[in-house]
Amino acid sequence: MKTRTIERKRLVPHTVDGETELVLDTEKIEVPLPPRDWDSLVRHGVTVLACVLVTVSLAWTTASIGDLLAMAVVAAVAYGAGVAFDAAWILCMAVEWLLRYDPERAKVPRRAGHWALVVSMAAVYAHGHLTGEWVVGAAGAAVSLLAKGGWTIAMRAHARPLDPRTAQWVAKRRAAVDGKLAMIPVRRELVRGEALVEAEQLARAAESGGSADPDSSAAGPPPNVTPIDRKTLTTKDAVRIAWESGIRDTDSVVRDVSARLGRAASPDTVERYLRDHRGA
């Protein structure tokens, strides 16, 4: 059995002149060497070779199609556009890999990748045909086909197929999480919209000398209440006032703060100040 030497450090008691202290002691020990994982090595080798094929294909296609397009446009623009032909199907394969646990959604990038490959191969062959080297054009087109085929095989080596029931379970859990993630920007947009509407109403009421609140009394505030100066009122103070008034919901606090400030309050800023109050 193969072994390897490792160092192990531990605290051991050491006594000098009757006084004991814990000191570090270094010990070299032999531990069994785990067997080589040939499957992992082969899988990594396949991935590296697939990346090499894709790189070669991208370089060849860019050079070939760039030379073809340079007949009509500036060379820099032509070669820049040439990158797009192979980059298109490479992009589709990357998206297909990300959606490997969602077969239905992966169908679209898979089909788009096949069509992008056909277009790229046709353009490479057209370049060879126009230059009178149709054999070179056909061989160059085959480079993209080999690269895509090699990457497809590499993806299969890394794939972890799911049985139908597990796939349905994953799809439902993902849908639930995606719904929660989608609601985050929706709620923020609604809060900002409501705050802007209230701020607009307050601004119009201030211009006309009236009140934006239909439930407010025409007689104004009681004589023993000192009105708040909005020019000196900060968001932090407005959040504190709303908290002391018993308002706990974040959306309600944002609306209350916006009304007190006379402008739209940032939901993120309000939430930060609310966390201070909740932790107190």
Side-chain angles (χ1 to χ4, degrees):
M1 177 183 296
K2 295 183 178 180
T3 61
R4 60 190 178 98
T5 304
I6 64 171
E7 289 187 354
R8 175 181 297 175
K9 294 184 178 181
R10 57 178 181 172
L11 290 173
V12 296
H14 183 66
T15 304
V16 177
D17 295 334
E19 295 185 2
T20 302
E21 295 288 347
L22 292 176
V23 296
L24 280 177
D25 178 61
T26 302
E27 179 185 8
K28 293 185 178 181
I29 60 175
E30 297 289 331
V31 297
L33 189 65
R36 188 178 297 274
D37 188 356
W38 291 105
D39 289 346
S40 179
L41 291 175
V42 172
R43 189 178 295 110
H44 283 86
V46 169
T47 305
V48 171
L49 289 176
C51 292
V52 172
L53 285 175
V54 170
T55 303
V56 172
S57 173
L58 183 62
W60 177 271
T61 302
T62 301
S64 179
I65 299 179
D67 188 52
L68 174 66
L69 298 179
M71 300 177 182
V73 296
V74 180
V77 177
Y79 284 95
V83 177
F85 284 80
D86 263 10
W89 63 259
I90 294 173
L91 171 66
C92 291
M93 292 194 69
V95 176
E96 182 184 352
W97 167 257
L98 294 175
L99 299 177
R100 61 189 180 277
Y101 297 126
D102 194 343
E104 291 300 322
R105 295 175 62 191
K107 288 181 180 179
V108 174
R110 184 182 301 113
R111 292 171 182 171
H114 292 159
W115 282 109
L117 176 64
V118 171
V119 172
S120 178
M121 293 175 62
V124 173
Y125 178 78
H127 174 258
H129 180 73
L130 291 177
T131 57
E133 299 289 345
W134 66 270
V135 176
V136 176
V143 172
S144 296
L145 180 62
L146 292 174
K148 188 175 187 341
W151 191 250
T152 301
I153 294 174
M155 288 174 59
R156 289 184 177 275
H158 288 276
R160 296 292 183 270
L162 302 177
D163 62 88
R165 291 189 176 184
T166 304
Q168 294 180 41
W169 183 90
V170 171
K172 289 186 176 181
R173 294 300 296 269
R174 181 183 289 114
V177 174
D178 289 346
K180 294 179 181 179
L181 292 174
M183 288 305 299
I184 294 176
V186 171
R187 290 194 183 97
R188 290 180 177 175
E189 182 181 357
L190 292 176
V191 170
R192 286 194 296 267
E194 292 176 356
L196 289 174
V197 170
E198 293 184 4
E200 178 69 17
Q201 293 175 349
L202 290 171
R204 290 182 179 275
E207 291 177 358
S208 61
S211 174
D213 186 2
D215 297 330
S216 62
S217 173
N224 59 342
V225 176
T226 302
I228 298 176
D229 186 2
R230 290 179 178 172
K231 295 181 180 179
T232 60
L233 182 66
T234 63
T235 303
K236 183 177 182 179
D237 293 332
V239 172
R240 176 180 55 79
I241 295 172
W243 182 268
E244 293 176 351
S245 301
I247 304 176
R248 298 293 184 266
D249 181 64
T250 302
D251 296 344
S252 301
V253 173
V254 171
R255 290 194 293 269
D256 186 81
V257 170
S258 300
R260 294 181 186 277
L261 296 176
R263 62 180 185 277
S266 171
D268 295 334
T269 303
V270 172
E271 179 62 27
R272 186 172 68 253
Y273 290 133
L274 279 177
R275 285 198 296 268
D276 295 338
H277 289 286
R278 293 191 182 105

